[in-house]
C-alpha cells in the first residue's frame, strides 16, 4: 500500500503536469486534502508532508480536528452546510465552499458579525443540474451573488464551487468544469461590489486533472491521498 507521502508526491506531480499541459503556473492551483473519516494521526502525517489546506465535509468533524490540529493548516468546509451547524465552524474555518441559499447566508452573517470576522465563501453551483447535487442553478447565480454583496457584509464571495457527475465520460466532466469557468468570467464582468472570482473549487481524485485544465484553483483530493475511506465511520 502506498504511503501518504508517496501519494502526495504523485499527486503534486500530476498537478504540475496538468498545469504544464494547460500553460498555467502550478502556483495557481492549491491542493485541499479531504479528510472525511480520516483519523487525526493520518491528517498530521499529511501536514508533515507539506499539506497546507484541509477540507472537511462535516462541521462537527472539522471542529473536532481543529481542537487538536489548530491553525497549522487552513480549514475548508467543503460539504453541504446546515444552518444549525454554522456555529461549530464560524471561528475556525478559512473558507466555506458550499453557499447555496439565503437562509445559510443569514446564519453565517449573524455568526460572523458577532465575532467581527469576514468569512471567505464560494458559491456552490449545480452546473450539471443533477437532482442529487446541492447548489444553485447557473441562471440564478448572478442575482444570488448581487444579493449577498448588497446585504451580507461579513460574507466575502471569492469564487465558485461545483461537482462533476460521477461518470467516465470525460467530455461531460470537461463541459461541467468549463461551464463553471465561463460562469465565473460572466460574473467577473458584472463588477459586483466586494465580489471576486479568484477561486474555482472543482475536481476530486478521479477528475482533478481535467478540472485544472479548465481553470480550477482548488482541487479537493481525498481518496488518492489517504486511500479508500470507510464511510461507516463517524
Amino acid at each position: 500500500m502506498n504511503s501518504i507521502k508517496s501519494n502526495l508526491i504523485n499527486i503534486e506531480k500530476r498537478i504540475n503536469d496538468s498545469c504544464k499541459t494547460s500553460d498555467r503556473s502550478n502556483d495557481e492551483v492549491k491542493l485541499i486534502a479531504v479528510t472525511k473519516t480520516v483519523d487525526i494521526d493520518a491528517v498530521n502525517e499529511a501536514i508533515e508532508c507539506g499539506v497546507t489546506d484541509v477540507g472537511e465535509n462535516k462541521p462537527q468533524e472539522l471542529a473536532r480536528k481543529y481542537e487538536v490540529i489548530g491553525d497549522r493548516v487552513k480549514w475548508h468546509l467543503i460539504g453541504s452546510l446546515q444552518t444549525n451547524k454554522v456555529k461549530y465552524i464560524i471561528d475556525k474555518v478559512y473558507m466555506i465552499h458550499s453557499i447555496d441559499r439565503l437562509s445559510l447566508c443569514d446564519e453565517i452573517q449573524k455568526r460572523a458579525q458577532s465575532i467581527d470576522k469576514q468569512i471567505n465563501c464560494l458559491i456552490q453551483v449545480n452546473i450539471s443540474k443533477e437532482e442529487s447535487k446541492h447548489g444553485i442553478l447557473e441562471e440564478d447565480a448572478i442575482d444570488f451573488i448581487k444579493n449577498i454583496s448588497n446585504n451580507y457584509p461579513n460574507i466575502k464571495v471569492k469564487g465558485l464551487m461545483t461537482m462533476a457527475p460521477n461518470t467516465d465520460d470525460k467530455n461531460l466532466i470537461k463541459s461541467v468544469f468549463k461551464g463553471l469557468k465561463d460562469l465565473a468570467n460572466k460574473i467577473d464582468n458584472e463588477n459586483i461590489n466586494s465580489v471576486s472570482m479568484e477561486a474555482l473549487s472543482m475536481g476530486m481524485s478521479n477528475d482533478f486533472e481535467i478540472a485544472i485544465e479548465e481553470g480550477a484553483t482548488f482541487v479537493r483530493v481525498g481518496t488518492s491521498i489517504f486511500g479508500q475511506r470507510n464511510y461507516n465511520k463517524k
Side-chain angles (χ1 to χ4, degrees), residues 1 22 29 36 43 47 51 69-70 76 97 107 110 117-118 133 136 143 164 185 196 201 203 207 223 227:
M1 182 165 53
S22 50
V29 181
K36 180 179 180 181
V43 180
I47 294 168
V51 162
I69 296 168
H76 300 252
H97 289 230
E107 184 67 14
K110 181 181 77 172
K117 181 178 180 180
Q118 293 190 329
K133 285 189 168 50
I136 65 169
D143 285 344
N185 289 337
S196 75
S201 173
D207 56 20
T223 302

Side-chain angles (χ1 to χ4, degrees), residues 5 26 150 214:
K5 182 176 182 178
N26 53 17
N150 291 332
E214 295 303 322

Side-chain angles (χ1 to χ4, degrees), residues 51-182:
V51 162
T52 59
D53 292 69
V54 169
E56 269 294 335
N57 291 70
K58 295 183 178 180
Q60 285 149 299
E61 187 66 5
L62 187 154
R64 184 181 75 84
K65 288 172 180 168
Y66 181 95
E67 292 306 320
V68 179
I69 296 168
D71 289 327
R72 292 173 62 202
V73 291
K74 292 178 178 175
W75 293 91
H76 300 252
L77 194 284
I78 60 174
S80 180
L81 180 56
Q82 295 175 311
T83 55
N84 65 347
K85 302 293 176 61
V86 171
K87 60 190 175 187
Y88 295 114
I89 53 111
I90 196 70
D91 59 338
K92 303 172 181 68
V93 74
Y94 168 72
M95 182 175 281
I96 297 171
H97 289 230
S98 49
I99 303 297
D100 61 358
R101 61 199 187 280
L102 290 178
S103 59
L104 179 57
C105 294
D106 289 337
E107 184 67 14
I108 292 171
Q109 172 61 34
K110 181 181 77 172
R111 298 280 180 179
Q113 188 173 19
S114 72
I115 59 171
D116 193 26
K117 181 178 180 180
Q118 293 190 329
I119 306 294
N120 299 318
C121 293
L122 304 181
I123 307 305
Q124 183 169 356
V125 186
N126 187 356
I127 294 286
S128 63
K129 291 185 166 64
E130 291 178 272
E131 288 187 10
S132 61
K133 285 189 168 50
H134 294 277
I136 65 169
L137 295 177
E138 181 179 353
E139 53 267 31
D140 299 329
I142 289 176
D143 285 344
F144 183 71
I145 291 170
K146 285 180 177 177
N147 194 333
I148 294 173
S149 171
N150 291 332
N151 298 299
Y152 300 90
N154 289 74
I155 295 176
K156 294 302 168 190
V157 176
K158 296 292 186 180
L160 307 175
M161 184 270 259
T162 200
M163 297 177 67
N166 184 16
T167 176
D168 294 327
D169 185 343
K170 291 185 177 181
N171 287 329
L172 177 56
I173 294 169
K174 182 182 174 76
S175 72
V176 169
F177 293 151
K178 183 179 184 300
L180 195 74
K181 176 64 174 178
D182 289 346

